């Protein structure tokens, strides 16, 4: 399986950048570039249908948007992978909304947050602290717009590659749809295992069953939490994938040196 957005983007779907040269941090008081805001508002659609979490409204790229079929080179920013609500993130968000005890009163890191839906679900469900992370600065802008849509104060957002950084002191790390590249998957496996070993962090992973995920060595250290049947619109958007699963990552060697 390979990620796809609209037909116009299929030649660019081979992979996302593993590093981003810029590093920035958003908090609730930071203002957005009005031109970026206006561009995203004009070229995305506010929607809550066709996904597992109708209670969350998001600005997404849909077939009714100009850039669904427009030449990708005309999009002035990095590839908008944040503008799709990927099925792994949908499963994580649904699980958190249905089981608020998972995050209530806990600190949560949403790794590779994209549109920010899972971070939003964590805030809605009572997390005491939420940090959203992505490598695309425009994703950070989109997350703030999506917080506004859901009447939430924006959570802190960090824009940098934090994989292989020091293990942060988080109660829970959530990540969806991140195992699409072998090199990235290896880095994630190592870093998540370190977080568990050093900080006893709980890790939940959402994935619809991509080959790169199922064939990776991490698969043997995952415990299935719940499986969701995907709505028809999401199935069509993801080449016919029919379900998405939330996994708990419990490496047997978490007490060993990594």
């Amino acid at each position: 399986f390979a990620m796809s957005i609209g037909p116009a983007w299929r030649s660019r779907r081979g992979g996302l950048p593993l590093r981003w040269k810029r590093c920035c941090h958003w908090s609730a008081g930071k203002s957005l570039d009005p031109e970026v805001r206006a561009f995203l508002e004009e070229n995305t659609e506010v929607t809550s249908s066709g996904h597992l979490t109708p209670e969350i409204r998001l600005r997404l790229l849909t077939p009714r948007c100009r850039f669904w079929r427009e030449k990708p080179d005309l999009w002035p920013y990095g590839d908008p992978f944040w503008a799709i609500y990927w099925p792994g993130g949908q499963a994580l968000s649904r699980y958190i909304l249905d089981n608020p005890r998972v995050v209530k009163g806990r600190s949560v890191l949403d790794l590779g947050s994209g549109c920010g839906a899972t971070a939003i679900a964590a805030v809605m469900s009572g997390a005491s602290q939420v940090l959203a992370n992505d490598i695309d600065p425009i994703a950070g802008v989109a997350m703030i717009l999506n917080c506004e849509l859901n009447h939430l104060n924006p959570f802190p957002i960090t824009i940098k590659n934090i994989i292989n950084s020091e293990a942060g002191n988080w109660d829970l790390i959530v990540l969806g749809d991140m195992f699409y590249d072998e090199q990235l998957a290896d880095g994630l496996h190592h870093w998540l295992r370190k977080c568990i070993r050093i900080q006893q962090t709980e890790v939940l992973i959402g994935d619809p069953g991509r080959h790169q995920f199922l064939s990776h060595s991490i698969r043997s250290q995952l415990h299935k939490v719940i499986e969701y049947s995907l709505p028809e619109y999401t199935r069509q958007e993801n080449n016919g994938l029919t379900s998405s699963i939330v996994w708990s990552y419990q490496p047997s060697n978490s007490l060993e040196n990594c």
Side-chain angles (χ1 to χ4, degrees):
F1 172 76
M3 284 186 170
S4 61
I5 302 183
W9 296 87
R10 288 180 179 173
S11 63
R12 295 161 68 110
R13 71 185 180 187
L16 286 73
L18 301 185
R19 293 177 294 278
W20 193 268
K21 292 182 180 179
R22 294 176 56 189
C23 172
C24 47
H25 187 88
W26 270 285
S27 59
K30 182 167 181 177
S31 60
L32 301 182
D33 184 321
E35 290 187 9
V36 176
R37 173 191 281 269
F39 182 87
L40 295 190
E41 289 177 341
E42 179 181 352
N43 290 287
T44 56
E45 180 182 11
V46 176
T47 180
S48 60
S49 62
H51 306 117
L52 288 172
T53 55
E55 54 269 73
I56 297 178
R57 302 177 74 215
L58 300 168
R59 285 198 166 275
L60 300 174
L61 196 61
T62 74
R64 288 176 289 276
C65 296
R66 167 192 169 197
F67 280 97
W68 187 263
R69 298 184 184 278
E70 186 64 89
K71 292 181 179 179
D73 290 343
L74 296 178
W75 181 269
Y77 308 110
D79 290 347
F81 292 101
W82 54 265
I84 297 295
Y85 192 8
W86 301 103
Q90 289 190 40
L92 282 170
S93 302
R94 182 72 268 157
Y95 178 68
I96 289 171
L97 291 170
D98 288 345
N99 301 275
R101 59 176 175 74
V102 172
V103 300
K104 189 168 184 175
R106 305 180 78 193
S107 59
V108 180
L109 170 64
D110 183 13
L111 185 67
S113 189
C115 66
T118 304
I120 288 171
V123 173
M124 288 179 167
S125 299
S128 61
Q129 181 183 1
V130 174
L131 176 65
N133 163 256
D134 204 277
I135 59 171
D136 185 347
I138 306 304
V141 177
M143 288 183 222
I144 294 177
L145 296 181
N146 289 333
C147 283
E148 293 176 358
L149 284 176
N150 293 281
H151 310 292
L152 300 176
N153 291 325
F155 35 73
I157 301 164
T158 183
I159 304 296
K160 63 178 180 179
N161 178 16
I162 65 173
I163 300 171
N164 298 324
S165 64
E166 292 186 10
N169 187 18
W170 299 97
D171 296 322
L172 174 67
I173 296 175
V174 293
L175 61 154
D177 309 281
M178 291 283 283
F179 288 81
Y180 52 80
D181 174 272
E182 184 175 359
Q183 180 184 351
L184 177 58
D186 290 344
L188 282 168
H189 190 186
H190 177 83
W191 186 74
L192 292 171
R193 194 171 54 194
K194 182 171 69 172
C195 290
I196 293 172
R197 176 175 61 86
I198 297 175
Q199 302 291 356
Q200 288 74 55
T201 304
E202 182 181 354
V203 176
L204 293 176
I205 298 172
D207 194 273
R210 296 186 180 89
H211 171 75
Q212 298 93 322
F213 179 69
L214 296 178
S215 62
H216 195 274
S217 59
I218 195 174
R219 173 65 182 84
S220 63
Q221 300 175 59
L222 298 175
H223 298 261
K224 183 177 177 179
V225 177
I226 193 168
E227 182 171 1
Y228 296 98
S229 177
L230 293 171
E232 182 60 31
Y233 175 81
T234 300
R235 295 185 183 195
Q236 294 176 5
E237 197 175 44
N238 290 272
N239 296 346
L241 289 172
T242 59
S243 66
S244 190
I245 299 175
V246 175
W247 304 88
S248 173
Y249 178 36
Q250 300 174 15
S252 57
N253 60 344
S254 60
L255 298 179
E256 300 175 6
N257 290 331
C258 300

